Amino acid sequence: MGLILGGICPAQSPVPSPVLWADAVAHAAKTAPQARIVVLDIAGGHVLAASHLADAARTLAAPGSTLKPLALYGLVSARRWDPGRRIACDRKLYIAGRSLVCSHPATGPMDATEALAWSCNTYFAAVGAGLGRGELRRMLAQTGLLSQTGLAPGEAVAAFHEPQSRDEASLALLGVDGVRVTPLELAAAYRWLALELERQPDSVAAQTVQAGLSDSASFGIAASASLGGVPVAGKTGTANSGPGTPSHGWFVGLVPAQHPSAVVVVYLPAGHGTDAARAAADLLAHSPLKKSAP
């Protein structure tokens, strides 16, 4: 299974929590044996526990909707997007021959928080269509998503194709084309996001993304993650290697939701984001956060 205790820096975590995290990861891996699972300490930036760490370092896959919070935070911070803007969605979206049908319930026009909670592709396709040349690369690079993390030997490096059209920009921001990352890179990027949310919690960008991620894992598209009994702010993602190929699934969460101490990443080589969220719930149900809850 490739279970890792304390990652490559066990000396940095003398407290017993890495042992408990390793137990939780081992439990989740029994029901999702192919999952690449990473639990990353937010304060120290080291791996607390992992399953298939070597694969998590080398696997490159389209991140799907897990890219949306990172892009939204960058755009709202730069005042390049008004999070109060509402966009209607009929749940039918086709871009460059690709079907990107929304799975959320029928609803009225959504603002940024609602669109993030329900992972509305129509909303974020509109966000992507307004990107300037090189803007998405710059935003993602600042999170660490496009570079090696140093968390494991033999890491692959994210692949990024610069969008050449509005359609390509939308597909890239939706995380389905032009971008491939490793589970370790995604964990590092969400650690960056968690530190940003903590650094300026009163900013419009932080409040928008925090609310969207919390709602997503509470009652939105990633609600399965909350079944573990630990408050979590997180995002699912589903993508594939191209039209007609099998899908893979992601879940990335900040736990606990309000004052996160860890990033949890679950990547399933075959499956959907909802499957990854359920695996994350299984992990959290046996985590030290659950064990320490009153």
Side-chain angles (χ1 to χ4, degrees), residues 8 27 38 53-54 143 181 197 270 273:
I8 61 173
H27 187 94
V38 179
L53 182 61
T143 73
V181 302
L197 298 179

Side-chain angles (χ1 to χ4, degrees), residues 106-187:
T107 184
M110 287 184 276
D111 63 16
T113 297
E114 294 164 334
L116 192 55
W118 292 108
S119 199
C120 179
N121 288 336
T122 297
Y123 187 98
F124 283 95
V127 175
L131 291 170
R133 182 64 61 90
E135 189 171 14
L136 183 59
R137 179 190 287 274
R138 290 192 296 272
M139 285 192 303
L140 298 181
Q142 73 177 351
T143 73
L145 183 69
L146 303 183
S147 55
Q148 290 180 325
T149 67
L151 293 171
E155 282 188 82
V157 182
F160 183 87
H161 170 74
E162 191 66 51
Q164 301 299 310
S165 66
R166 288 167 59 92
D167 281 354
E168 287 188 3
S170 292
L171 291 172
L173 193 146
L174 293 173
V176 298
D177 196 26
V179 186
R180 293 191 301 151
V181 302
T182 70
L184 284 184
E185 288 170 329
L186 197 56

Side-chain angles (χ1 to χ4, degrees), residues 67-76 127 136 139-140 173:
L67 217 58
K68 293 172 180 175
L70 300 173
L72 182 64
Y73 182 84
L75 285 167
V76 175
V127 175
L136 183 59
M139 285 192 303
L140 298 181
L173 193 146

Side-chain angles (χ1 to χ4, degrees), residues 35-38 40 51-61 145 149 151 155 180-190 250 252 263-268:
R36 284 76 159 138
I37 302 173
V38 179
L40 187 66
S51 181
H52 297 297
L53 182 61
D55 290 329
R58 294 192 296 263
T59 298
L60 284 171
L145 183 69
T149 67
L151 293 171
E155 282 188 82
R180 293 191 301 151
V181 302
T182 70
L184 284 184
E185 288 170 329
L186 197 56
Y190 269 72
W250 297 89
V252 189
V263 179
V264 172
V265 174
V266 177
Y267 169 77
L268 296 176

Side-chain angles (χ1 to χ4, degrees), residues 116-119 213-227 232-237 250-252 273-274 277-278:
L116 192 55
W118 292 108
S119 199
L213 290 176
S214 295
D215 289 351
S216 175
S218 177
F219 60 81
I221 210 74
S224 296
S226 67
L227 298 178
V232 54
K235 189 75 192 70
T236 54
W250 297 89
F251 176 78
V252 189
T274 51
R278 283 192 289 269

Side-chain angles (χ1 to χ4, degrees), residues 190-211:
Y190 269 72
R191 175 185 178 242
W192 175 90
L193 179 61
L195 292 173
E196 283 290 300
L197 298 179
E198 180 183 23
R199 184 174 66 87
Q200 43 186 4
D202 296 327
S203 70
V204 174
Q207 291 181 347
T208 299
V209 172
Q210 177 70 49

